[in-house]
Amino acid sequence: MWWQWPHWLPLVVLVPLGAGVVTPAISRKSTKAAWVWAATAVAATVGASLPLVIRVAQEGPFSYTFGGWTPPYGIEFRFDEVSAFAFVVAFLGALAIVFSLRYAPHALDEARIPYYYALLLLNLAGLIGFSVTGDMFNLYVFMEIISLSGYALVAISGERIAEMAAFKYLVLGAVSSLFVLFGIGMLYGVTGTLNIADATQRLSVVADTVPVAVAVGSIVLGFMVKAALFPLHVWLPDAHAIAPSPVSAVLSGLVVKVGLVGMLRLYQVVYASRAVDLVTLNRLLTWLGAASIVMGAFFAMFQDDIKMMLAYSTISNVGYIVMGFGLASRYALVGAAVHIFNHALIKSALFLSAGAIIYQTGYRRLSDLRGVGRGMPLTGAALAVGAVSIVGIPPTAGFLCKWYIALGAFEAKNAAFGFALVFGALFIFVYYIRMLNAFYFQEPVRAEVTHVGDPPLSMLVPMWVLAALCLAMGLAGKVPLTFIEPVVTRMLAPTGG
Amino acid sequence: METADVRVLLAPAISFACSGLVFLTGRSVFWRRFWSLGAAALKFVVVLSMLPAALTGKTFVWNLIEFTPGIGITFRADALGMFFALVSSALWLITTVYAIGYMEPEHAKVRFFGFFALCVSTTVGVAFAENLLTLFVFYETLTICTYPLVIHEETPEALRAGRKYLAYTLVGGACILLGSALTYQIAGTLTLSRPGVLPAAADPRSLAVLFVTLVAGFGVKAAVMPLHGWLPSAMVAPTPVSALLHAVAVVKVGAFGVLRVVYNVFGIELLKRLGYTVPLAYLAAFTIIAGSVAAMFQDNLKRRLAYSTVSQLSYIVLGAALLTPAAASAAVAHIANQAFAKITMFFAAGAIQRTTGKTQVHELGGVGHQMPWTMAAFTVASLSFVGVPLFAGFITKWYLSVGAFEAGMWWFALVMVASSLLNAAYWLPIVYLAFFKGPEGQEVQRREAKPVLLVPTIACAAWVVVLGTTSDVPGMPFALARAAVEFVFKM
């Protein structure tokens, strides 16, 4: 079958990576060319990642070895159900680039636009590489590609406040990367291999588990900074709120997930090898997850800037996922893993519609935007769908995770966290309702926002594709849940491996 | 006997499609009215067409989509669900006519009629939910869809009431979500198609937690004290909304949920053994009395109606909690009895407000001379609440009292008597004021409400009498209530 062609797997990383590198050279003359080039490249990436998802659904995980050097000596790409994140990355990246057609010229100097697309493509390449690599060092390398392009994307508008946010992001990002690198180094020292599958096998017979525990702790710490788990979240709100909106969508929807996909990878190794006992760590993560849900919502309540609200809402959602990891029961893990995907869709829908509102009105504060729902009916509706979804009203995508993690909490005999999750989630309602009230039901402060009109199609289409997916992925919740389930089954299998 | 039949899906789908069409084409007055009335009529016909089969014990099922592995969004029209669906679709039709007349001078009518249709869609979804998750899906959607209606006026007061409404109902929803998860953990299924799913051997502590979370969750919308605070505030909404949603759809969804929990999740036998319903019965009895007492002190007519609703809803909860067949019939039948009587009163209150501008009870002197038909309908509803025989409310009171004796708890029959007296004490003065006291120093002119407001009011009042006189006629709603009770008690 066409989808079994082995070289789709390297292509899906190499296409955006290569295209990203040459973007500035290609578009020296016209910024339009940069967009066409980036859009073509990202479309090709979506095309290349689709067969991979079909194949993993049909056949289960598969590998690709570069140059015929078999692991553990050669470099391995390994595609399992978690790697389907690569498809989400390519898809959301494509929508963000389409959205940027009109947004980027509005938000950035013309000279920076080619670099903008180049960085965006590199960022996507890093994300895809991160989710498909089977090698710990490559994992680190891709993570750095993501981080570095991320810092630059936050700063790209060149405004002073953007540079400040990017700097804060950079400092914490660099420290967290070091923690991850340190952990990977320790694991290499203990096992003598960098291949993840190989390391898993060797770890299961390691006698001295103290260094392994230190390595796991260090990697988890690093990843949790990347994932912006409370109280390690301080870098996130400014960076995500100040970046151009399509970038915010990518950062909040995808880049934050690096820490979480990374956690899943690490847990796959540790659970399978039974090298260290994770009970204490899991208990800590469950508590921090709960704290993250509540604190994210708490901070968001005091914001007036809509993108700031959305940024804090990411912290709450990361809390859901980490709590799911910490509960470590079957339902909780499935729910957490699926929410990695669903949150990407929902949050992108929200950031893109917020971006469209800012683009059309020039305002970004809730107090200025009163009544904008009447002026931009289609955009407002997309945002409302996203908001309903992220607060977890059934049958939208956001509900699945709440339902599954609640089931998981009871399954883990830890009912208290089920209560914490569901009631904590109510706080999230508070500020989204404030947002919808302002958009629809309050007296406008700025009269002009009530008749600005909807944005051009290049913005409307991406946000409505995402809003429709928020509904579809919820209604057909069976699809993602059954897709991701084998991963969890393998993780929790009594024999390991 | 179960048959796959698409009509159970159509019933909620029609009003869902209607709301979409209203949002798309509703700027035109004609199309807005056309879709609203057409969908309401069509839906009523569809639900009604299922009635003969339901009376012979057939149930229709339709599996829409598998929501999560093993749990579908599935619709199933059993006798209890049919009863509720029939009440809400009949009242939607009547209320739509009324709303078209009432809302004429209001703003944002597209939004109003769009969300109005969505609410009814979700209400029927709750009625036909085959499992607890489907029920929850529609329960929460209903909460969200009613919000724009509650705050329709967009005044700070309306927004405050809306916030209060959401705070109460969303916390209730969270409880139901947890209860559903716990049910799934204990029973391994969420279906509502059996008379009880929980195994008797389950850990009693979990069962107690489960009972409290589920009943408290549904109790919020059923306005069981002390969870009733949102209901009187929500009266800021336009009258048709108060009428349909706060006397019928929203609050009855809560009461219906309590019935489902008692009959289909726990089951009669298990609850009899556990005895959890006894405190619930006391709470309901307290609410019946306290709600009535509070109603006496309200001068605003709609607020008085609201407290009366609080009191009346607990009849249903009490009927469920007594766990006897007669009480259960009362509980199911009261879904209709209360709905028609209460909606008559709301319609009358709205008609008075639109015609004369009066909203307070003390202003109503002589209004019966001005609007004799409207006030006649109001009187019929009052008598029904007092429990005068031949009116719908009597049926409930009678069977509930019988049920109390059956259960060996005769003192609940005294609660019925007390409630009758209290109802008389706060409804009959209004009737007296309206008919026997003229406004002093003014000449009373006959100024009846517009026909579009008056006809629905009278139709509902007439139906109150029909319900009160035909409880033994086969094929009437009460027969359906009996069928539901027979299923629950495995008779």
Side-chain angles (χ1 to χ4, degrees):
Chain A
M1 302 295 273
W2 63 279
W3 41 264
Q4 281 165 319
W5 190 53
H7 302 291
W8 289 124
L9 189 45
L11 272 183
V12 81
V13 180
L14 295 177
V15 167
L17 196 64
V21 171
V22 298
T23 306
I26 285 200
S27 49
R28 255 182 327 151
K29 296 246 164 63
S30 113
T31 56
K32 197 88 177 168
W35 184 81
V36 174
W37 174 250
T40 316
V42 79
T45 314
V46 174
S49 60
L50 187 61
L52 299 173
V53 176
I54 297 175
R55 187 167 166 199
V56 78
Q58 299 280 342
E59 298 180 348
F62 54 90
S63 296
Y64 181 88
T65 49
F66 281 87
W69 293 86
T70 48
Y73 310 106
I75 293 171
E76 185 196 16
F77 273 6
R78 186 169 171 74
F79 200 90
D80 66 358
E81 289 82 356
V82 177
S83 315
F85 189 62
F87 175 70
V88 179
V89 170
F91 182 73
L92 285 182
L95 294 180
I97 284 175
V98 172
F99 190 91
S100 302
L101 172 65
R102 303 289 283 273
Y103 194 92
H106 162 81
L108 305 173
D109 292 342
E110 202 177 331
R112 293 179 191 246
I113 287 178
Y115 299 105
Y116 169 80
Y117 286 115
L119 288 166
L120 205 50
L121 282 174
L122 286 176
N123 194 275
L124 298 177
L127 283 160
I128 293 172
F130 186 84
S131 37
V132 302
T133 183
D135 181 287
M136 282 189 271
F137 190 72
N138 282 354
L139 196 78
Y140 171 74
V141 170
F142 283 120
M143 192 174 85
E144 283 304 87
I145 295 181
I146 302 163
S147 302
L148 292 172
S149 53
Y151 309 142
L153 280 170
V154 169
I156 196 156
S157 73
E159 287 160 27
R160 194 157 172 73
I161 186 161
E163 285 169 6
M164 291 286 286
F167 185 71
K168 195 155 91 176
Y169 182 20
L170 183 142
V171 170
L172 279 151
V175 172
S176 66
S177 295
L178 279 179
F179 273 106
V180 175
L181 184 63
F182 175 71
I184 289 175
M186 296 265 299
L187 284 182
Y188 179 64
V190 174
T191 61
T193 178
L194 283 168
N195 184 282
I196 292 176
D198 197 31
T200 310
Q201 280 189 350
R202 296 194 193 188
L203 273 178
S204 57
V205 292
V206 164
D208 183 10
T209 56
V210 174
V212 183
V214 173
V216 168
S218 162
I219 296 176
V220 168
L221 180 63
F223 279 150
M224 287 302 104
V225 176
K226 298 254 182 240
L229 184 74
F230 176 84
L232 311 169
H233 66 280
V234 287
W235 59 270
L236 180 140
D238 288 341
H240 287 197
I242 286 159
S245 292
V247 174
S248 310
V250 169
L251 288 179
S252 240
L254 302 172
V255 173
V256 161
K257 306 296 164 46
V258 164
L260 301 168
V261 171
M263 276 291 286
L264 262 184
R265 287 270 176 261
L266 179 72
Y267 267 36
Q268 279 172 308
V269 171
V270 177
Y271 274 110
S273 65
R274 300 277 182 278
V276 281
D277 186 23
L278 290 175
V279 174
T280 316
L281 177 66
N282 278 342
R283 193 170 302 148
L284 180 70
L285 287 180
T286 319
W287 276 103
L288 287 179
S292 210
I293 296 171
V294 175
M295 294 313 286
F298 179 74
F299 291 131
M301 279 179 216
F302 299 104
Q303 305 303 321
D304 193 31
D305 180 321
I306 48 172
K307 282 181 73 180
M308 213 64 166
M309 283 183 167
L310 297 180
Y312 274 111
S313 140
T314 296
I315 296 171
S316 291
N317 277 278
V318 166
Y320 287 159
I321 297 170
V322 172
M323 183 193 256
F325 288 161
L327 287 168
S329 62
R330 189 184 172 78
Y331 279 117
L333 284 169
V334 172
V338 168
H339 201 57
I340 294 180
F341 295 68
N342 282 349
H343 175 252
L345 297 175
I346 306 169
K347 192 47 66 64
S348 309
L350 285 167
F351 265 122
L352 290 189
S353 24
I357 288 173
I358 295 167
Y359 173 82
Q360 288 294 91
T361 63
Y363 296 117
R364 53 188 296 159
R365 295 188 163 279
L366 216 49
S367 40
D368 293 326
L369 286 170
R370 286 186 187 167
V372 77
R374 276 164 253 172
M376 305 175 68
L378 289 172
T379 313
L383 191 114
V385 170
V388 163
S389 186
I390 204 147
V391 295
I393 297 289
T396 55
F399 170 67
L400 280 184
C401 133
K402 253 165 67 177
W403 170 240
Y404 255 59
I405 295 180
L407 283 177
F410 288 120
E411 192 185 22
K413 304 265 177 274
N414 220 337
F417 282 107
F419 280 74
L421 169 91
V422 173
F423 286 105
L426 290 178
F427 286 103
I428 300 174
F429 275 97
V430 174
Y431 59 92
Y432 277 105
I433 284 161
R434 218 180 109 212
M435 197 187 276
L436 294 180
N437 268 347
F439 285 178
Y440 283 102
F441 306 118
Q442 281 178 342
E443 201 57 37
V445 175
R446 316 262 176 198
E448 69 268 28
V449 301
T450 57
H451 43 78
V452 284
D454 274 309
L457 274 181
S458 68
M459 296 185 176
L460 267 185
V461 171
M463 78 175 110
W464 264 103
V465 167
L466 288 167
L469 277 172
C470 289
L471 287 172
M473 291 298 273
L475 269 175
K478 193 193 167 194
V479 178
L481 290 169
T482 40
F483 179 81
I484 215 76
E485 218 170 359
V487 176
V488 176
T489 309
R490 284 197 301 272
M491 272 169 79
L492 299 182
T495 51
Chain B
M1 195 170 32
E2 288 194 358
T3 353
D5 192 304
V6 75
R7 276 177 291 175
V8 271
L9 171 64
L10 275 182
I14 288 169
S15 24
F16 185 75
C18 164
S19 97
L21 289 166
V22 168
F23 280 124
L24 285 177
T25 62
R27 286 189 184 282
S28 136
V29 178
F30 171 77
W31 286 114
R32 192 169 66 228
R33 291 182 179 174
F34 177 80
W35 295 127
S36 298
L37 283 174
L42 186 63
K43 175 187 194 124
F44 181 60
V45 169
V46 167
V47 176
L48 199 63
S49 74
M50 290 191 283
L51 180 62
L55 283 171
T56 56
K58 250 193 221 153
T59 43
F60 293 134
V61 197
W62 191 264
N63 193 349
L64 176 63
I65 192 168
E66 202 165 345
F67 185 56
T68 67
I71 307 174
I73 295 201
T74 306
F75 299 101
R76 182 173 184 279
D78 63 357
L80 182 57
M82 268 302 289
F83 191 88
F84 185 35
L86 211 50
V87 172
S88 39
S89 55
L91 288 176
W92 186 38
L93 183 54
I94 299 173
T95 313
T96 305
V97 176
Y98 185 89
I100 285 174
Y102 184 90
M103 297 300 288
E104 222 161 309
E106 294 277 334
H107 70 284
K109 278 183 283 225
V110 178
R111 183 177 86 201
F112 178 86
F113 281 98
F115 278 105
F116 200 65
L118 263 185
C119 288
V120 181
S121 177
T122 49
T123 308
V124 177
V126 168
F128 285 161
E130 190 269 344
N131 56 53
L132 212 47
L133 192 65
T134 308
L135 199 156
F136 177 70
V137 167
F138 286 103
Y139 188 92
E140 284 283 84
T141 326
L142 177 64
T143 304
I144 299 300
C145 294
T146 34
Y147 179 67
L149 299 177
V150 172
I151 60 167
H152 185 84
E153 307 293 343
E154 298 179 8
T155 55
E157 193 201 352
L159 285 171
R160 241 193 332 273
R163 269 202 299 278
K164 197 164 173 186
Y165 170 66
L166 282 181
Y168 273 81
T169 49
L170 289 175
V171 171
C175 287
I176 297 170
L177 176 64
L178 287 165
S180 309
L182 192 53
T183 309
Y184 194 65
Q185 174 68 21
I186 297 174
T189 174
L190 287 176
T191 183
L192 296 172
S193 61
R194 293 187 230 151
V197 292
L198 293 170
D203 173 24
R205 264 191 323 169
S206 313
L207 288 180
V209 171
L210 181 56
F211 189 77
V212 171
T213 45
L214 282 178
V215 169
F218 286 114
V220 170
K221 277 193 186 169
V224 177
M225 281 184 181
L227 309 171
H228 67 287
W230 60 274
L231 186 59
S233 324
M235 287 299 138
V236 296
T239 303
V241 176
S242 313
L244 184 63
L245 304 177
H246 296 148
V248 188
V250 173
V251 294
K252 289 294 161 58
V253 158
F256 181 79
V258 173
L259 295 184
R260 284 293 196 205
V261 170
V262 170
Y263 297 142
N264 298 103
V265 177
F266 278 83
I268 300 290
E269 278 159 35
L270 183 62
L271 277 177
K272 267 188 184 151
R273 213 164 49 77
L274 294 170
Y276 297 154
T277 49
V278 178
L280 181 62
Y282 282 107
L283 192 63
F286 172 77
T287 309
I288 291 174
I289 302 294
S292 290
V293 172
M296 271 200 283
F297 295 103
Q298 304 301 324
D299 190 39
N300 182 305
L301 184 53
K302 276 176 81 180
R303 282 185 75 87
R304 187 174 288 198
L305 282 162
Y307 276 104
S308 156
T309 303
V310 171
S311 159
Q312 290 285 322
L313 285 167
S314 277
Y315 280 43
I316 302 178
V317 178
L318 177 60
L322 287 176
L323 301 178
T324 66
S329 336
V332 179
H334 202 54
I335 290 180
N337 295 348
Q338 200 271 134
F340 280 93
K342 188 51 60 69
I343 211 161
T344 308
M345 284 194 165
F346 269 113
F347 284 174
I352 292 168
Q353 190 195 344
R354 274 285 186 258
T355 317
T356 67
K358 291 172 181 168
T359 55
Q360 308 296 321
V361 170
H362 73 261
E363 303 169 336
L364 292 179
V367 84
H369 300 285
Q370 258 181 311
M371 308 173 65
W373 286 102
T374 308
M375 283 316 292
F378 188 90
T379 309
V380 168
S382 308
L383 294 176
S384 171
F385 282 129
V386 175
V388 176
L390 298 186
F391 295 100
F394 172 72
I395 307 287
T396 314
K397 289 215 166 88
W398 172 254
Y399 279 99
L400 210 51
S401 308
V402 172
F405 283 108
E406 266 181 356
M409 293 188 265
W410 52 269
W411 49 92
F412 286 118
L414 289 185
V415 172
M416 291 292 100
V417 175
S419 166
S420 283
L421 291 176
L422 285 166
N423 267 287
Y426 63 86
W427 290 130
L428 298 184
I430 297 180
V431 176
Y432 173 75
L433 216 61
F435 282 111
F436 301 106
K437 272 217 156 161
E440 281 153 34
Q442 288 173 7
E443 195 161 321
V444 177
Q445 282 201 326
R446 178 126 175 211
R447 236 178 94 226
E448 192 51 270
K450 288 185 293 184
V452 69
L453 301 183
L454 186 60
V455 172
T457 317
I458 293 176
C460 287
W463 194 250
V464 169
V465 180
V466 173
L467 284 174
T469 47
T470 61
S471 68
D472 259 344
V473 179
M476 288 305 287
F478 198 73
L480 202 56
R482 278 224 178 103
V485 171
E486 277 163 19
F487 173 74
V488 169
F489 286 85
K490 301 177 193 157
M491 293 199 295

